[in-house]
């Protein structure tokens, strides 16, 4: 580690961090890159298509957004945790039930399903930090198909969704600690003794994708942060960073940054799975929980520099890069050494029965990447890219094995740096978390966009920047703005998947589906009115529903089209009801006809030249 | 009108319309425009800014989206009719109350406020077709500040928001007809006699922007469609097209397209305003309603070709272009002739007391633009641009006055045509509805994107295409995809406005605001707990709230930052609660602490390097 870096660490870095957000005057880089020869590099001509999907998390919007690369164009929104009337999500009976009592989520880290350590295009998993949930999006039709949670005994689902190399599990770690089981009261002043964190293995059914809680591992009340899963030599293992190993419970911005090091968790998830099979877990709130003090071999701690934020396994599975956001280095650990240290018990005591691995025994080196390092991605060609929050830059550096000369001065392995705007958080290289990264593009997900875009008032978007990493030097290609707030993204080659665009009639098993006008019906049973409705260009059958004030109305609407993009919507005037039905789909809505009067209904999703005429009446007698 | 066109009209055009959506095989135009020299024309380099705002309606998403031109990049979402957890809209007390009982809307036609027939940058008005409302967005801070409605006596607020030349009114016409006053039951079979439509004048307070219903004009049960307001010679007037002048009430796709012509409404809104002042209106549901059979001079009908969709006043205010989507011509009317015809009573009888102007007396010509003409926009240089739904194209033609030679063959005035993909609905030229259009760019808002973008499953986005209209020939520049479903847009020069990005502390009049830690408080009164909270980088004060299960909790949270983009969010674990507070803003949330246990709260909107540490606890005793 160079002297320069050491001096910086010695300075008041934490104080400097507080003001960086205001350092870059708005508009200061205006037209900085006015060389339009770069324009063609991200341009996708009208009629041509992008090469990659960019699935980015929508943060507290609760959704997942799909953009195309290299154009960076927003293509569509996949509603997950928040209602989305544009597709009727959260209005029909099925999606409403899936969302439960919640109308938002806080999506942080999308994770694509993998087979043999490569993206297989089956599913995309996303977490909800706010309500402790995990959702599964099916990439066959880009729809959210399951929301699991709130996960028992786990609070603040930030440290997920990390998918194992054959999608056996989606791994989760709690950001917050609470008294367990949930619902138990203990004053925050008893935090150190009464509160606990948790690592959870969410089991994935390989056929259906159905998720369930497989096992949990109890931890001290550290705040678990980011993680990654192993492969190759680290197959069967997973890693998380933490902050607040001080176990403070108030004014965390000061109290949780006292120690020079926090702990990373090194979890043997195959051992956890086995421990549950062996009956070594105890049920808590219906879930098998492993107490690591009683079941050795499941979890180890590894000290890493102050308040680490990211810990990323390289494509080979041997190198683990952990960055401490309050120290200007990225620590590279050698998993082969970690296994040897565990075997040889090269420990420095334990924390509550969890052995602490001696860092010097497993550290390959501390790379002086720059100020405020957070996350690291890999291009599969021996290079690593680390986001530098404080510097607002991305550093490119060389993975081990290093030459003796390189080891002597690790400054020499930092081979390029590119400024980004402003204050980068995550970054993503396509396939970085797989055995075979795509390389080529890197997307910098910047936390602040201040002054980079036309002013839209106080509520500002985030900025994402597209960087070409195909050459030796990184080069800036494009800047796009995103819905709040992309924390991380996954990139998938478009030709990996072939989504369906029409639901085949043969697959529609809804017993209330109707495919011809003659099958449509309105049936009354007491004060319940049930309607089987057909939607077709350009009419609803029936186009008249009679009811009495107070009736409970159920409408099953089938879109009988079998043509791509031939979507119908059913909106009912002044009833807060809109459902959108894709070709071949049947959806059910239930509502009360509370007021007398006549309420037109109409097709809300453009369908044909006579779309405007596609309407009917809900006529409610007093 | 040419023979060719007449023949097409004679053919089964309506039948042809039904299948056009499937005519263009997906991907058929892939790489059609691979000339990358065009790339630079829409490219806005990282650090540079767009020149225009594009405000587009989000259709049944319920929101307004802001993009930049020429980059077509999505910049941000302005939540209007649907909750939007990304900014906490619909979660705090004020926005929740503004939305009332509705959680979605169907936004069709945004309208910018005007002064002297030019955009003045004060407000953007948008309509909700589904729940009969109008909202006002303040362009000072890009926030929705009022939602008016449901508007009494009006159902299906499609035919708005059309702003008069000094923003005196936002004009509205009902798409659907219902028995009036609302709540009255009458069987749809009595449609012709018992149902009515309505034109409404929503008055706008010039100082505050506050909207109220000024007056209404009763109409026969036609389906009012699109409209525009007058200026110059047509100052004080407004125009709407209609369909279903047949007054059919079932299977409209067939029954509402029988007649060769439908009626446009020619409304003298100054006369309507005066009639109310003169006591000539009758109150219905609290609103003064004018019966035009009793108050002459307020409204006239003008027959225009079959199922017209758009009626657009040119920048001079003299020429009115109305397009009949089921006939391949755009009819150009001369408002000076309309005034003469009204003065001379050149009528062809009346419909329910509303005089019908003889079309031949006011028609300047029928321009053979092509198949399925819908809407017309103007560039201020004597050119008109009409969207052609069936042809999937935009036609450019010359406005009158025409030479004798041109009049002899109106085919000669159609000077250019450009294909768009696919099935264009609206189109927009910046400032087309003002005295001084910007010209330069045209955005084609296409209804179907099938196969133009990377596949995202059955739920597909719409396509918008950017066309350069600065030259004699139109040229295609870029294609972007939009949230469902942009019906129309407004374009505003960026330098017209200077939005604020921070709410000045001095303007915060919330008595519950706290600006220093010492002012923060938790107060209990019975089972009510009231919290005055401060949010600042990187902590909440207080960071502990004690409660008992069943307590009603009110939190007033003030973001004391005075720096642009320094936004804080307050999310509470498993309480379905998230509020986002802009710099200098105070927001209030209310909720019940239903369950015992400890529930962390945290900052949901990235704010600083220690954002992750910005957290606290809601500790609920049993």
């Amino acid at each position: 580690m160079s002297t320069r870096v050491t001096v910086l660490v010695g300075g008041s870095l934490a104080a400097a961090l507080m003001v960086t957000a205001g350092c870059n005057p708005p508009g200061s880089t205006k037209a900085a890159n006015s060389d339009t020869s770069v324009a063609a590099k991200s341009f996708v001509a009208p009629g041509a298509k992008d090469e990659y999907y960019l699935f980015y998390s929508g943060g507290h919007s609760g959704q997942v957004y799909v953009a195309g690369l290299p154009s960076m164009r927003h293509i569509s929104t996949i509603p997950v945790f928040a209602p989305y009337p544009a597709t009727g999500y959260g209005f029909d009976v099925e999606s409403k039930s899936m969302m439960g009592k919640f109308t938002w989520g806080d999506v942080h880290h999308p994770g694509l399903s993998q087979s043999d350590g490569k993206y297989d295009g089956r599913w995309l998993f996303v977490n909800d930090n706010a309500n402790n949930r995990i959702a599964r999006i099916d990439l066959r039709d880009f729809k959210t198909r399951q929301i699991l949670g709130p996960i028992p005994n786990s609070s603040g689902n930030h440290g997920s969704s990390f998918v194992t190399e054959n999608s056996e599990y989606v791994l989760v770690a709690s950001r917050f600690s609470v008294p367990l089981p949930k619902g138990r009261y203990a004053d925050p002043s008893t935090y150190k003794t009464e509160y606990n964190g948790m690592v959870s293995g969410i089991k994935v059914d390989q056929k259906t994708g159905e998720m369930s809680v497989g096992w949990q591992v109890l931890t001290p009340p550290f705040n678990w942060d980011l993680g990654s899963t192993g492969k190759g030599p680290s197959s069967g293992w997973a890693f998380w960073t933490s902050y607040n190993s001080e176990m403070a419970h108030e004014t965390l911005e000061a109290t949780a940054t006292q120690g020079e090091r926090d702990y990373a968790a090194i979890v043997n998830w195959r051992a956890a799975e086995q421990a549950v099979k062996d009956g070594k877990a105890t049920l808590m709130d219906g879930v098998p929980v492993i107490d690591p003090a009683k079941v050795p071999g499941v979890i180890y701690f590894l000290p890493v520099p102050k308040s680490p934020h990211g810990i990323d396994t390289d494509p080979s599975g041997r190198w683990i890069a952990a960055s401490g956001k309050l120290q200007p280095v990225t620590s590279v650990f050698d998993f082969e050494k970690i296994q040897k240290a565990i075997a040889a018990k090269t420990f420095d005591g334990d924390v509550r029965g969890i052995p602490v691995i001696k860092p010097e025994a497993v550290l390959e080196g501390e790379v002086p990447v720059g100020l405020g390092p957070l996350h690291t991605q890999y291009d599969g060609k021996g290079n690593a890219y680390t986001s530098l929050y404080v510097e607002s830059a991305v550093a490119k550096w060389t993975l081990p094995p290093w030459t003796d000369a390189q080891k002597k001065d690790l400054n020499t392995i930092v081979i390029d740096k590119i400024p980004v705007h402003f204050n980068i958080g995550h970054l993503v290289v396509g396939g970085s978390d797989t055995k075979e990264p795509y390389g080529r593009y890197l997307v910098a997900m910047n936390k602040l966009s201040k002054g980079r875009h036309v002013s839209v008032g106080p509520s500002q978007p985030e900025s994402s920047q597209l960087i070409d990493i195909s050459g030796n030097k990184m080069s800036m290609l494009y800047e796009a703005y995103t819905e709040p707030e992309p924390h991380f993204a996954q990139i998938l080659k478009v030709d990996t998947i072939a989504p369906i665009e029409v639901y085949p009639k043969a697959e529609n098993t809804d017993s209330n589906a109707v495919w011809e006008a003659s099958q449509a019906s309105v049936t009354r049973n007491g004060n319940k009115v049930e309607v089987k409705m057909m939607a077709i260009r350009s009419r609803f059958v029936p186009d008249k529903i009679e009811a009495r004030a107070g009736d409970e109305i159920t409408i099953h609407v089938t879109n009988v089209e079998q043509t791509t993009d031939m979507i119908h919507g059913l909106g009912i005037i002044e009833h807060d009801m809109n459902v959108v039905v894709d070709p071949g789909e049947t959806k059910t809505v239930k509502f009360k006809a509370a007021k007398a009067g006549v309420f037109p209904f109409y097709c809300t999703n453009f369908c044909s030249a006579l779309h405007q005429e596609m309407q009917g009446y809900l006529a409610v007698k007093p």
Side-chain angles (χ1 to χ4, degrees), chain A residues 330-353:
Chain A
T330 288
S331 305
V332 182
F333 298 102
D334 178 349
F335 192 79
E336 293 182 359
K337 290 183 188 166
I338 289 175
Q339 277 190 309
K340 281 178 199 157
I342 288 170
K345 300 198 172 170
T346 314
F347 300 146
D348 201 0
D350 70 279
V351 175
R352 300 191 184 180

Side-chain angles (χ1 to χ4, degrees), chain A residues 209-230:
Chain A
E210 194 73 10
M211 301 176 288
S212 56
V213 182
W215 44 261
Q216 294 188 316
V217 179
L218 196 73
T219 78
F222 304 162
N223 292 53
W224 297 109
D225 203 352
L226 267 292
S228 66
T229 59

